Amino acid sequence: FLFITTGEENLLAILKRRWWKYMILGIIDIEANYLVVKAYQYTTLTSVQLLDCFVIPVVILLSWFFLLVRYKAVHFIGIVVCILGMGCMAGADVLVGRQQGAGENKLIGDLLVLGGATLYGISNVCEEYIVRNLSRVEFLGMIGLFGSFFSGIQLAIMEHKELLKVPWDWQIGLLYVGFSACMFGLYSFMPVVIKKTSATAVNLSLLTADLYSLFCGLFLFHYKFSGLYLLSFFTILVGLMLYSSTSTYVAQDPRVYKQFRNPSGPVVDLPTTGQLEPSVTYTSLGQETEEEPHVRVA
């Protein structure tokens, strides 16, 4: 309520300044979800799992060029290990015959996954920028407002016939409620985690989600179990530990940073002798702080 009615950063003020940016971000986010879910109609579960990993290089590239995040060798090693763990999980799916969802056209399904993963990457990087520089309350409010509006329009135009075919009963209704609750939790907690870590770390962590779905499927759908699933899970965990073992840093000239933070103050001439370290460092799994990050000059 306070977000809507009080202060300079109320709902109307934010809409007046940045409405078109949040409108584009809301469309990107709902289309990312739509494309990946739609892909299950055309391609296999294994293909969705593997191709959905495309979000990781998208996030890395966008973070490098737009958030100026710089990675070290250990980060790339951790990322490769995580993807190898994901490949191991997909191999286990093939061995135990979890190939449901062959669908009508595998190529269309694969392209839908790649498109959805690309849009997910864009959405996640934008989310990291907003929660670090503006407010996660603002992000959740705006993405909820525009996302609900445009997803409702898309549902009415593209899926209204399919919605009428659903044989509604209390069980299906309960499944929809459960899915909505899970998505509510995901969107509520993800900005917190992204602010404490990064969009790259979050997407690497989400690779373990397929194993949790397997555990549920063991009871609900009587999936076959393979030891490769546990191997893939621990491989992904090792990759996450490697990635989180050292900090990334933001490439930024300290002189530009000081002028930006103190636009009305005098410009300080920094010594030109020696090599400047153009970075503001932060730790991937460090404590959340509102203090100004320290600028280190070599």
Side-chain angles (χ1 to χ4, degrees):
F1 183 73
L2 293 176
F3 172 66
I4 298 177
T5 59
T6 64
E8 295 181 358
E9 293 300 316
N10 60 67
L11 176 61
L12 295 179
I14 293 172
L15 286 174
K16 184 177 180 180
R17 290 196 300 270
R18 295 186 283 270
W19 66 271
W20 63 273
K21 297 179 182 179
Y22 285 116
M23 180 185 71
I24 295 174
L25 181 57
I27 294 174
I28 289 174
D29 190 75
I30 63 172
E31 293 307 323
N33 285 281
Y34 180 80
L35 290 179
V36 173
V37 173
K38 192 71 173 178
Y40 284 97
Q41 180 179 338
Y42 297 99
T43 190
T44 63
L45 175 65
T46 303
S47 295
V48 173
Q49 289 177 339
L50 286 175
L51 294 176
D52 197 37
C53 295
F54 186 67
V55 68
I56 295 173
V58 172
V59 169
I60 291 173
L61 288 174
L62 293 178
S63 298
W64 182 284
F65 288 107
F66 295 100
L67 299 184
L68 304 181
V69 176
R70 296 296 179 262
Y71 303 93
K72 301 175 183 178
V74 67
H75 295 124
F76 291 108
I77 294 174
I79 290 168
V80 171
V81 172
C82 286
I83 295 177
L84 287 176
M86 193 65 233
C88 183
M89 187 176 297
D93 284 344
V94 174
L95 290 177
V96 301
R98 265 183 85 203
Q99 289 285 69
Q100 62 269 57
E104 303 170 6
N105 193 317
K106 194 172 184 296
L107 177 60
I108 292 178
D110 292 346
L111 292 176
L112 288 175
V113 178
L114 290 175
T118 302
L119 295 180
Y120 265 131
I122 297 172
S123 176
N124 289 163
V125 172
C126 292
E127 180 176 353
E128 180 176 351
Y129 176 84
I130 294 169
V131 300
R132 287 186 181 276
N133 296 278
L134 298 173
S135 165
R136 64 175 176 265
V137 175
E138 177 176 327
F139 170 79
L140 289 173
M142 293 295 100
I143 204 72
L145 176 64
F146 287 102
S148 300
F149 178 75
F150 287 106
S151 62
I153 293 177
Q154 182 166 328
L155 175 66
I157 295 175
M158 301 182 63
E159 301 293 335
H160 65 280
K161 293 182 179 179
E162 298 296 327
L163 194 62
L164 294 175
K165 296 178 183 178
V166 176
W168 292 101
D169 56 30
W170 68 271
Q171 292 178 325
I172 291 179
L174 189 61
L175 290 174
Y176 273 104
V177 171
F179 178 78
S180 300
C182 291
M183 295 301 292
F184 175 81
L186 176 67
Y187 274 83
S188 297
F189 288 112
M190 185 176 281
V192 179
V193 181
I194 284 182
K195 188 171 184 179
K196 289 180 176 291
T197 58
S198 66
T200 305
V202 167
N203 280 282
L204 290 174
S205 302
L206 287 176
L207 294 179
T208 61
D210 293 310
L211 187 70
Y212 303 136
S213 67
L214 167 69
F215 289 149
C216 294
L218 290 175
F219 298 99
L220 296 176
F221 306 111
H222 306 290
Y223 288 158
K224 294 180 181 179
F225 183 77
S226 171
L228 285 177
Y229 287 120
L230 292 179
L231 176 62
S232 66
F233 179 73
F234 287 111
T235 303
I236 293 172
L237 289 183
V238 170
L240 284 172
M241 288 189 289
L242 285 173
Y243 181 87
S244 304
S245 62
T246 187
S247 61
T248 57
Y249 63 94
V250 177
Q252 192 166 3
D253 191 320
R255 289 169 291 188
V256 176
Y257 180 77
K258 278 187 170 293
Q259 285 182 295
F260 177 76
R261 297 292 292 184
N262 304 283
S264 60
V267 178
V268 179
D269 293 329
L270 297 177
T272 56
T273 58
Q275 183 179 2
L276 289 176
E277 182 182 6
S279 65
V280 180
T281 63
Y282 62 87
T283 304
S284 296
L285 294 179
Q287 296 294 322
E288 183 178 357
T289 175
E290 300 297 333
E291 297 177 358
E292 176 181 334
H294 298 290
V295 181
R296 301 189 303 167
V297 180

